[in-house]
Amino acid sequence: MTTARTPGPEAVARPLTRSHHGDDVVDVYEWLRAKEDPEVIAHLEAENAYTDERTAHLAPLRQRIFEEIKGRTLETDLSVPTRQGAWWYYGRTVEGKQYGIHCRAPLASPDDWTPPTLTPGVDVPGEVVLLDGNIEADGHEFFSLGSFDVSTDGARLLYGIDNEGDERYTLRIRDLRTGDDLADVIPDTSAGACFSPDGRFVVYTTVDDAWRPDTVWLHEVGTDAAGDAQLFHEPDDRYWVGAGFTRSERYLVIEVGSSITSEEFLVPASDLRAEPRSIWPRREGVEYSATHAIVDGEDVLYVLHNDGALDFELVRVAASDPTGPREVILPHVPGRRLLDVSAFRDWAVVSYRRSGLARMGILSYATGDVRELSFDEELYAAGAGGNPEWAPPVIRLGYGSFVTPGTVYDYVVESGEFLLRKRQSVLGDYSPDAYGQRRDWATADDGTRVPVSLVWKRSFGDPGEGAARSVHLYGYGSYEHSIEPGFSVARLSLLDRGVVFAIAHVRGGGEMGRQWYEDGKLSRKRNTFTDFVAVARHLVDAGVTSPALLVAEGGSAGGLLMGAVANLAPELFAGILADVPFVDALTTILDPSLPLTVIEWDEWGDPLHDASVYEYMKSYTPYENVREGVTYPRILAVTSLNDTRVYYVEPAKWVARLRAVGADALLKCEMVAGHGGVSGRYNAWHQRAFEIAWLLDVLGLAEA
């Protein structure tokens, strides 16, 4: 039961007129954007104090949930070692420590492909600690590692640290023989820096004033960063850049991309100052990515592209002449969305989606056939990862589902055997058999069938049979990002209290192929919101839940979804949790000086120069459409002061406007954090416990 509602902080109304396309909009809360203004900070602190007051009665529940998460987690643990060069690399966690410890141990022999069995709490023979996040984070409220790479010879470590949450990292290089850092210090870099194969150089990227990664640099180890060479610069504000070496170590690949167009450049690893050579010149609307292989002694590129192939096609071209003849390896098949191809010496791994699930297979260079890996569960997530070696006999892959904890396998390519290396420990009496999962389908207003994933604890009965159940409905629906059926320890605290967890796989995501994405962006963005509403109505009509027992959650672009459905169908939800929500989208997308705005025009449209886009976005942007006389569900917005992707000001303005029309809206602003929230695993558990406790309170289960 909730405590008595007291008035929240009232943001002062300071009218500011915004004029575009003959439309004058008076925004009374835009002044909250002035992050350095003491009055703004005071308002955010007042919001936090109010949220603390309104949720004080949940403190015991929050602590119980935190202890449940902690009690189910093996706090002292180790990851499965990954082979690279002469070492096994792995991470370890220690009870009571916030951050991971990065380590390595030597191979038993050059033919050793079986990772050592590591026992939590037991010393590993020959272990070398490369970086202890707890030491690096000491004295800082926030810590994030954005780059981590070891030179091919194993002699040096490259690492990048962010202590603010703004995703700008300071790069350093550590001599692993002495444990000392070199004098090299490179500030304000983007994530993902790496050594060159010979270890002489570091390749890194920097961002422009709008936080767009736009320049690739070459740093020679042991020199002053002021003399670093610029390898590539992208002047077009619509494109971001990145760089990395092929697994074969033959090439540096510089990637340039927007939401709808891409281009890649090759630079020989043996001559990194050479002029980058475009693989295919960019063409508006054409996306591609290339991976290098050596087939029958010839350098080739496997190129995944959508040129005349909506769900993508795979072709092979000569690396020396990539614009020459294309050999089709995997033709375009509608409904089979090719996602990625990763080349190894003897075969490649292909990732794709079909029938709403991510799948993977082994591509034979000789025949072009793909051997699909099969799994038993109806819903699951599987993908390759942690495979740095060029010529391994096995592929490391991760697997999991709503009920199966994260699992690591080595797949023996020659025999097709799965070697279980580790399954995430869930302490206590957890049993996958105690939980059920299934796929339902809702029907959207236009007749489109929208997939819905559900997971629940069986002892409470199957959803839709018997009395209505409490439901936690999650959604995202942007950037072709798919929400996979993955396992969550924290989610058990909801399931074990009888809550059904559901995911609405709405258009704008990638679950059902590229067309699914296309039908939920630009001028069809409203489909994302109406699909979510259709799923909510389906769950109510099917007897799974009722509006009084239905809460919704989404973050970032999914937070925009939350704000939109709050305006579209407030009567369907008891509560809405919006995490770092993109709720003032029109204001943001109108200002090209803000982070990533111009890049975002391919996703949302360009309201600055196109009146029709302006009108369409204004019709759905949550902040613009908060209505008088509406009974809104209870709303909790969570944000971070240093978030550079979705500024704190968006949820701050949104909550102010909601409260002005009488809504019960709370704002929680982390004052030292970024887009991903607080850092440190215990801090993250406390944050999630806060959110879960609020959700349970809305559902009337705070005492459960």
Side-chain angles (χ1 to χ4, degrees):
M1 181 173 293
T2 61
T3 58
R5 182 174 164 192
T6 56
E10 184 178 346
V12 178
R14 294 177 181 165
L16 177 70
T17 301
R18 182 188 75 208
S19 299
H20 292 281
H21 307 293
D23 182 39
D24 295 334
V25 175
V26 178
D27 189 342
V28 299
Y29 301 123
E30 178 62 16
W31 66 272
L32 289 169
R33 191 175 298 276
K35 180 180 175 182
E36 305 303 324
D37 187 337
E39 190 174 354
V40 172
I41 298 300
H43 176 76
L44 295 175
E45 290 174 340
E47 288 282 14
N48 282 341
Y50 177 63
T51 298
D52 288 344
E53 174 192 337
R54 289 286 311 284
T55 60
H57 66 293
L58 297 175
L61 177 59
R62 289 198 297 267
Q63 187 60 33
R64 282 203 307 276
I65 294 170
F66 171 80
E67 294 296 339
E68 288 169 10
I69 297 171
K70 184 171 178 287
R72 292 185 175 111
T73 303
L74 186 61
E75 296 178 71
T76 297
D77 201 3
L78 303 101
S79 67
V80 180
T82 296
R83 174 175 161 151
Q84 186 171 8
W87 301 85
W88 290 106
Y89 289 86
Y90 56 95
R92 61 164 66 248
T93 56
V94 176
E95 183 175 355
K97 300 290 188 181
Q98 289 271 22
Y99 300 100
I101 302 169
H102 300 265
C103 308
R104 71 181 181 186
L107 298 181
S109 73
D111 298 325
D112 179 15
W113 288 96
T114 302
T117 301
L118 306 182
T119 304
V122 177
D123 290 342
V124 178
E127 177 177 276
V128 176
V129 174
L130 305 176
L131 184 142
D132 186 334
N134 303 286
I135 294 174
E136 303 298 335
D138 189 37
H140 301 281
E141 291 186 61
F142 184 90
F143 168 80
S144 177
L145 196 61
S147 296
F148 187 90
D149 191 37
V150 177
S151 58
T152 301
D153 63 5
R156 289 172 174 157
L157 168 70
L158 172 69
Y159 65 101
I161 290 176
D162 166 21
N163 288 130
E164 301 294 333
D166 58 6
E167 299 183 60
R168 288 195 179 185
Y169 302 88
T170 297
L171 285 177
R172 291 182 171 85
I173 300 172
R174 180 165 296 172
D175 186 327
L176 294 178
R177 291 162 296 196
T178 66
D180 297 328
D181 283 352
L182 306 184
D184 309 53
V185 177
I186 311 174
D188 295 330
T189 71
S190 189
C194 57
F195 280 114
S196 61
D198 60 10
R200 289 182 53 204
F201 299 98
V202 170
V203 175
Y204 66 95
T205 58
T206 56
V207 299
D208 63 11
D209 291 339
W211 298 81
R212 172 183 66 97
D214 70 331
T215 307
V216 180
W217 299 88
L218 185 68
H219 170 76
E220 186 170 2
V221 176
T223 66
D224 190 333
D228 289 354
Q230 179 178 300
L231 293 184
F232 185 90
H233 174 71
E234 176 53 54
D236 192 327
D237 291 343
R238 297 176 300 163
Y239 294 86
W240 50 262
V241 302
F245 289 91
T246 59
R247 185 177 282 106
S248 64
E249 299 189 340
R250 291 281 186 96
Y251 298 101
L252 172 70
V253 180
I254 298 174
E255 303 164 329
V256 183
S258 71
S259 295
I260 62 171
T261 306
S262 61
E263 184 176 16
E264 293 189 348
F265 297 82
L266 294 181
V267 181
S270 58
D271 184 11
L272 291 174
R273 298 180 191 273
E275 184 72 20
R277 178 167 56 94
S278 175
I279 295 176
W280 292 349
R282 75 185 70 169
R283 287 170 47 206
E284 191 77 9
V286 174
E287 301 168 64
Y288 71 87
S289 60
T291 185
H292 171 249
I294 302 173
V295 178
D296 296 330
E298 180 185 359
D299 275 352
V300 299
L301 300 174
Y302 283 85
V303 184
L304 202 62
H305 73 90
N306 69 339
D307 185 7
L310 181 66
D311 280 323
F312 286 70
E313 176 182 77
L314 180 67
V315 300
R316 185 165 66 191
V317 299
S320 59
D321 182 22
T323 60
R326 303 180 183 182
E327 179 186 357
V328 176
I329 303 299
L330 295 177
H332 173 249
V333 176
R336 181 189 67 183
R337 169 65 165 96
L338 298 176
L339 298 171
D340 182 62
V341 177
S342 187
F344 296 81
R345 187 189 66 184
D346 301 320
W347 23 255
V349 175
V350 183
S351 302
Y352 47 100
R353 298 192 70 86
R354 191 180 68 247
S355 302
L357 287 178
R359 304 169 190 272
M360 59 181 295
I362 305 299
L363 171 70
S364 166
Y365 291 147
T367 66
D369 294 333
V370 174
R371 184 206 314 165
E372 183 171 296
L373 280 61
S374 61
F375 303 94
D376 294 334
E377 295 183 89
E378 175 190 4
L379 301 177
Y380 65 86
N387 294 287
E389 293 281 48
W390 174 234
V394 297
I395 289 294
R396 175 69 50 82
L397 62 95
Y399 174 85
S401 74
F402 286 124
V403 301
T404 301
T407 305
V408 178
Y409 290 105
D410 279 343
Y411 176 76
V412 184
V413 176
E414 183 175 350
S415 67
E417 181 182 8
F418 286 91
L419 303 175
L420 176 63
R421 297 307 188 193
K422 184 181 180 68
R423 178 159 287 146
Q424 176 186 355
S425 297
V426 183
L427 305 182
D429 59 354
Y430 178 77
S431 169
D433 294 336
Y435 300 84
Q437 61 175 354
R438 74 172 189 236
R439 173 66 52 82
D440 278 2
W441 297 86
T443 302
D445 294 343
D446 62 0
T448 299
R449 298 178 75 234
V450 180
V452 189
S453 296
L454 296 95
V455 58
W456 66 95
K457 191 167 187 179
R458 295 186 188 276
S459 60
F460 291 92
D462 288 351
E465 298 180 5
R469 301 271 296 278
S470 294
V471 169
H472 174 205
L473 179 61
Y474 186 87
Y476 187 75
S478 292
Y479 305 108
E480 204 182 357
H481 177 66
S482 300
I483 306 299
E484 306 290 5
F487 185 80
S488 166
V489 164
R491 189 188 301 138
L492 295 177
S493 292
L494 286 163
L495 301 182
D496 287 355
R497 288 171 170 84
V499 179
V500 176
F501 178 72
I503 296 174
H505 301 286
V506 295
R507 281 175 282 186
E511 286 88 343
M512 301 297 288
R514 173 47 73 92
Q515 191 62 53
W516 198 251
Y517 168 52
E518 297 290 342
D519 286 343
K521 64 184 290 195
L522 297 173
S523 62
R524 286 172 279 186
K525 188 63 204 171
R526 275 185 168 272
N527 286 335
T528 302
F529 317 137
T530 55
D531 281 1
F532 193 87
V533 171
V535 169
R537 288 196 173 121
H538 164 79
L539 294 173
V540 171
D541 293 344
V544 175
T545 189
S546 69
L549 298 176
L550 179 58
V551 295
E553 180 182 2
S556 195
L560 183 151
L561 170 62
M562 294 299 101
V565 300
N567 291 328
L568 282 173
E571 73 284 355
L572 275 176
F573 305 95
I576 288 178
L577 170 58
D579 190 27
V580 291
F582 187 40
V583 283
D584 191 19
L586 183 56
T587 303
T588 295
I589 299 299
L590 280 167
D591 187 350
S593 71
L594 292 178
L596 307 181
T597 286
V598 176
I599 292 175
E600 294 290 291
W601 286 346
D602 286 335
E603 180 77 18
W604 311 97
D606 176 5
L608 183 61
H609 302 100
D610 189 325
S612 64
V613 172
Y614 174 89
E615 182 180 2
Y616 186 68
M617 287 194 70
K618 189 180 178 185
S619 74
Y620 70 71
T621 301
Y623 178 66
E624 305 280 347
N625 289 282
V626 172
R627 295 182 283 154
E628 298 272 2
V630 171
T631 301
Y632 279 95
R634 288 171 59 185
I635 290 174
L636 171 63
V638 179
T639 188
S640 299
L641 184 64
N642 295 330
D643 190 344
T644 57
R645 302 192 191 195
V646 179
Y647 272 17
Y648 73 89
V649 67
E650 298 203 26
K653 289 171 60 178
W654 182 51
V655 166
R657 177 161 285 185
L658 284 165
R659 199 174 291 142
V661 301
D664 183 0
L666 300 178
L667 176 68
K668 180 176 173 60
C669 181
E670 298 294 343
M671 304 305 283
V672 184
H675 193 63
V678 296
S679 68
R681 58 176 176 162
Y682 295 104
N683 292 339
W685 295 347
H686 276 296
Q687 178 172 309
R688 190 55 182 162
F690 178 92
E691 295 168 351
I692 291 174
W694 183 85
L695 290 170
L696 290 171
D697 189 44
V698 172
L699 293 169
L701 296 173
E703 304 304 319

